[in-house]
Amino acid sequence: MNHKVVVTGIDIISPLGLNVDENWKNMVAGQSGIKKISLFNANDLDTQIAGEVPPEFDEYYKKYIKKRAAKQMTRVTRMCIAATNHAIEAYQIPIHEIDKSRIAIVLGVVNTGNSSVEKGTDLSNTILKGMNNAMSAWISMEYRITGPNFTVSTACASSAYAIAIGYDFIASGNYDMVITGGADSIINPEEIKGFNNLYALSTQNSQPEKASKPFSKDRDGFVIGEGAGVVILESKSHAEKRKAKILAELMGHGISSEAYNIMSPRAEGLGMLNTMKTALSNSGLKPEKIDYINAHGTSTMLNDLYETMAIKTLFGEHSKNLHISGSKSMIGHTIGAAGAIEAAITIKSLEEGLITPTINLDVPDPELDLNYTPHKTVKKNIQYALTNSFGFGGHNASLVLKKYN
Amino acid sequence: MAVINEHTKSEVKEIVLDFFSEECEVDINEITESSNIFDDLDGDSLMFLELIEIFKKKYNLNIELKTIGKYSIKHPVRTIGELIDMQMLIIEHENDILSLE
């Protein structure tokens, strides 16, 4: 039996805020969270800008994490734990009344952030802070959850993969609830230099808030962001039984490999096309049903071009009716956290009937001629939405979400 | 070998209680010798090592962590009282603690 999967809790920590409500307000207003880097002196780097989580986070997390445990976590792991605990608190998830062996934790991460800019690392906590599985492990200990906990690392699609795996866990009937999401930060000199060497990052340092510009002709690479996204999945029957507030239905997903190149997407977006097609097929939906796509939209030349080509091929004439938006224009690319953050934004869009904008789309690109929701939020009642995540290494994921009526 | 007296014992106890109160964010008056470090205080085994570093400096001890590791495998510590007793033995016997076997 294929159990239906719903979302009963979300949270976001990003450059635009420390919880989902603050983020949503700022995203609807079309704000940018991109600034000059303050975590370290970036003056000698080609890229000197990023989307950093607000400094108030250093006080905020203390509400959710004990001092002793915090010492053994990186700042990134703290983001994930704080977002999870806030989601559980804000959406009143009664974890302690649920069979703990039927709850799983699956999170996406590329880099736990134990880099040269991490503070408080010494011999006593080097290993603990560097463990890529730390964030899921801490959550299992906090709530005494005895179902599986693990992290997934599929580059920029990591937390979208986590959500997809969570879907499968529940659909199979093996689990009632899965805490999914992810957290990440690569704002450190080593990785910025590395990405600069690949010509992947924007170097438009003079106006940070204008630098991330998905689908604009003058885009020159992605802007690094950081943060955490949490999406709590639950079987529909379990959620209804406990009279939970249901935020959206996760209809299905497509995850696939491009099997092509370690960095570049497959030409003409063929891998992206296959992933979206699989997601729709697994969800039992025809392309015409989709109203909105939260695009991967990185602000790199190839991603934005190929994603547009893939959308046009899959949706045909209907592609002109679609609303598309690139959240990375406001918060940057949060790498392993991006899939979950953008899924949470999409869930808010379904709930609120608002499509957040692609800011900085100032120079139309003749090859990119779809409706990317430029500059301003649009009011529109949407029923079905798709959210895309495509990672280095050819890791692709698309999630299909439905408004819960 | 250091000589342990009542003053040392009370000093060690005070340091241990202060450390757990601070690290575990628990009122010092709620910590007793029977408090379970893991279940009652939400502590962890790394705290033992941090405490040993504190005592190494304070009493200028000649003790290696691997020696303590070998000793504690056979004498696991669960309560604050057991931890204080172990710290006293370490201060008294330093690296010779294994000869107590």
Side-chain angles (χ1 to χ4, degrees), chain A residues 31 50 87 118 148 167 228 241 245 259 313:
Chain A
Q31 300 287 312
E118 173 70 18
Y167 173 91
K241 196 173 169 188
K245 182 185 178 190
T313 305

Side-chain angles (χ1 to χ4, degrees), chain A residues 66-68 71-72 128, chain B residues 22-23 25 44 46 50:
Chain A
K66 283 188 174 174
K67 183 179 162 187
R68 177 72 204 164
K71 268 190 182 177
Q72 295 166 28
L128 303 178
Chain B
E22 173 74 14
E23 289 293 315
E25 297 168 280
D44 58 70
L46 275 179
E50 289 174 39

Side-chain angles (χ1 to χ4, degrees), chain B residues 25-59:
Chain B
E25 297 168 280
V26 176
D27 187 327
I28 197 162
N29 298 314
E30 290 175 19
I31 305 175
T32 67
E33 293 202 12
S34 62
S35 297
N36 186 296
I37 292 164
F38 308 101
D39 296 338
D40 300 332
L41 303 177
D42 225 2
D44 58 70
S45 55
L46 275 179
M47 298 175 84
F48 304 168
L49 300 181
E50 289 174 39
L51 265 174
I52 284 160
E53 287 298 326
I54 292 169
F55 287 120
K56 260 177 92 171
K57 281 181 194 156
K58 181 163 180 66
Y59 297 109

